[in-house]
Amino acid sequence: MSKIFTDTSTDGVWSGNVLTDSIAGQSIGILIPNSTLTFAQAEYEAGCMAWRLQNAQTLAVTARGWGVKSGFNCMGSSMIPPVRVNPNDILTVFPLAVDATSNKSNALAWVTTTKGTELFKGTAIADNTFTALTTAVNGQSLGDAFFNSTLRSLSVQCEDGCTLVEVQIIDEMGGVVFTGQGNVRGPDAGSRSNHYNIDLSGLGIPIGKGWAFKVKTVTA
């Protein structure tokens, strides 16, 4: 069984961006409670977008991922670990539009540590300039949000057409603890995914106070 959920969403927030069934207008928990979700194909018009499955009462998140530009979805790459849909669950999205300013771009990142997973964002990132991403909800740095935990994985989605040149984990003294090279995504030459510009797991990096997560990008 498959269902379509839609919403006209507001950029830069989770709040209010709840997807409802295209036929009955119900949230996912009400429409298909206790079902098992095995894939999710999320689409946006332009920019970049994260999605999550969240319990509206406890706020616990049981599934999350990336959207892709409309028309570039692939069911085979949209499979997720099976998750049971709770009757209180809702699907929400966090979109960012394409930055209209020349030589600037927007980006999102899922960051997972031993303390949990948070969405990070960066807006108006100047080309070829390392810029720190902060938590999407309260604007905390990597060190403030995840001090005294271990970085497990990170996944970055830049706006359409943008190249992720590099990511860095920076310590409190400005030293480079970790660096990784990214790529383009989507229909551009050299792309390996429609969903992410870089996707890393098994990192095992202890995070200190004052640390930062930075990206360097180049617009289309």
Side-chain angles (χ1 to χ4, degrees), residues 24 75 109 185 192:
M75 184 173 178
R185 66 179 179 90
R192 295 188 61 189

Side-chain angles (χ1 to χ4, degrees), residues 147-179:
F147 169 63
N148 201 30
S149 68
T150 300
L151 180 63
R152 288 177 168 170
S153 65
L154 60 86
S155 182
V156 179
Q157 184 184 89
C158 301
E159 67 178 47
D160 301 321
C162 177
T163 298
L164 177 63
V165 179
E166 195 174 342
V167 298
Q168 289 185 345
I169 304 298
I170 306 295
D171 66 19
E172 73 279 6
M173 301 299 292
V176 178
V177 177
F178 173 83
T179 183

Side-chain angles (χ1 to χ4, degrees), residues 76-152:
S77 59
S78 299
M79 307 302 290
I80 63 172
V83 58
R84 176 180 170 274
V85 178
N86 187 284
N88 295 315
D89 280 350
I90 55 175
L91 280 170
T92 61
V93 295
F94 190 106
L96 287 177
V98 172
D99 194 301
T101 308
S102 177
N103 301 321
K104 290 188 177 181
S105 56
N106 297 328
L108 296 170
W110 284 116
V111 177
T112 299
T113 76
T114 49
K115 285 187 175 179
T117 302
E118 285 281 350
L119 183 69
F120 281 60
K121 72 170 182 178
T123 57
I125 302 168
D127 280 0
N128 290 306
T129 303
F130 278 107
T131 304
L133 303 189
T134 57
T135 55
V137 174
N138 51 22
Q140 288 185 308
S141 69
L142 177 69
D144 287 340
F146 289 128
F147 169 63
N148 201 30
S149 68
T150 300
L151 180 63
R152 288 177 168 170

